[in-house]
Amino acid sequence: HLAGLPETTPTHWFIRLLQDKKLLNVNMTQNIDGLEHLAGLPEDKVVECHGHFRSAHCTGCQDKISFSTMEKHIREGKPLYCKKDSCGKPCKPDIVFFGEQLPLQFMLTTTQVLPKTDLLIVMGTSLNVFPFAALVDTVKETCPRVLINRELTGTISGGFEDDDDNYRDIFLQGDCDDVIHTLVEKLGWTEEFEALKKSKVKKMGAK
């Protein structure tokens, strides 16, 4: 987690609340900031489709690299190379660059987990980046799909339908955090939700 990155938001704590209530099947994210883990989601519930900044490795011999070393080079704008005499290849954070293969966990979740999902919630995305955007079509046809976003996405790869023939898609327009607060209130979860956020503040302020 690079210093200076955004902190967890109410949306992250809503996902954590779903986990605490045993309602979360899996959380798939395109983000590489690792905020889901800072919110306390267990490793087996998070699929970081584009990787993360918590670790790094050599692109040649695949040796793990101290991320503190990697971070130093990133901030200085200097490339980091493997110190092995037999290697010397460049090192990189464990993030997926453009054109690289997505992690195996992405494929397994797409084929084995999402088809069994009872409710799909999509938040804060344009659904323009593939193959991630196609995930909305991997759930069964009877699975309700809720889109929380500032604008309605297009009908990409099936997309989210918002017409007279729509029988399963719900569009909740607005900022994710604002919509989440409304949802929490309507679900009667406000007290638990606020307690989670306070525990976060206490933990961050602890000495």
Side-chain angles (χ1 to χ4, degrees), residues 9-200:
T9 68
T11 299
H12 293 100
W13 293 102
F14 174 71
I15 300 171
R16 163 67 187 277
L17 186 56
L18 291 177
Q19 165 63 20
D20 289 355
K21 290 182 171 293
K22 303 186 186 305
L23 295 173
L24 182 66
N25 199 356
V26 67
N27 178 73
M28 302 185 74
T29 179
Q30 295 171 276
N31 298 328
I32 58 175
D33 49 29
L35 294 181
E36 293 81 10
H37 295 282
L38 289 182
L41 289 178
E43 292 275 350
D44 63 348
K45 291 292 186 177
V46 181
V47 179
E48 293 166 302
C49 304
H50 294 161
H52 55 76
F53 266 108
R54 293 188 302 281
S55 57
H57 70 279
C58 168
T59 59
C61 65
Q62 303 300 312
D63 272 7
K64 291 294 182 183
I65 306 297
S66 164
F67 190 74
S68 59
T69 302
M70 185 83 253
E71 180 180 5
K72 181 176 182 293
H73 280 73
I74 291 174
R75 293 197 177 282
E76 293 176 352
K78 299 177 181 178
L80 175 64
Y81 295 95
C82 183
K83 295 187 179 300
K84 278 187 177 180
D85 293 335
S86 59
C87 185
K89 297 292 185 181
C91 302
K92 66 182 286 285
D94 288 334
I95 59 176
V96 179
F97 288 156
F98 182 78
E100 292 184 332
Q101 186 74 33
L102 293 181
L104 176 62
Q105 192 181 13
F106 173 86
M107 304 306 298
L108 293 176
T109 304
T110 301
T111 57
Q112 299 179 13
V113 179
L114 291 185
K116 302 176 182 177
T117 298
D118 295 320
L119 171 66
L120 179 69
I121 302 177
V122 182
M123 296 186 282
T125 178
S126 64
L127 289 180
N128 280 327
V129 179
F130 285 84
F132 196 91
L135 293 179
V136 298
D137 297 318
T138 61
V139 295
K140 55 197 174 204
E141 292 187 358
T142 55
C143 175
R145 305 183 300 183
V146 179
L147 174 64
I148 302 174
N149 212 30
R150 291 176 178 171
E151 58 187 17
L152 183 65
T153 61
T155 55
I156 301 168
S157 188
F160 275 77
E161 302 172 4
D162 190 29
D163 53 39
D164 293 338
D165 296 326
N166 174 33
Y167 65 95
R168 63 167 177 165
D169 295 339
I170 300 173
F171 176 42
L172 302 179
Q173 187 171 20
D175 180 82
C176 287
D177 290 344
D178 294 338
V179 174
I180 288 304
H181 276 111
T182 301
L183 274 179
V184 167
E185 181 180 357
K186 290 184 177 296
L187 289 166
W189 294 352
T190 300
E191 185 176 346
E192 297 165 274
F193 184 63
E194 293 301 324
L196 267 181
K197 291 196 295 181
K198 286 180 181 178
S199 69
K200 163 215 171 185

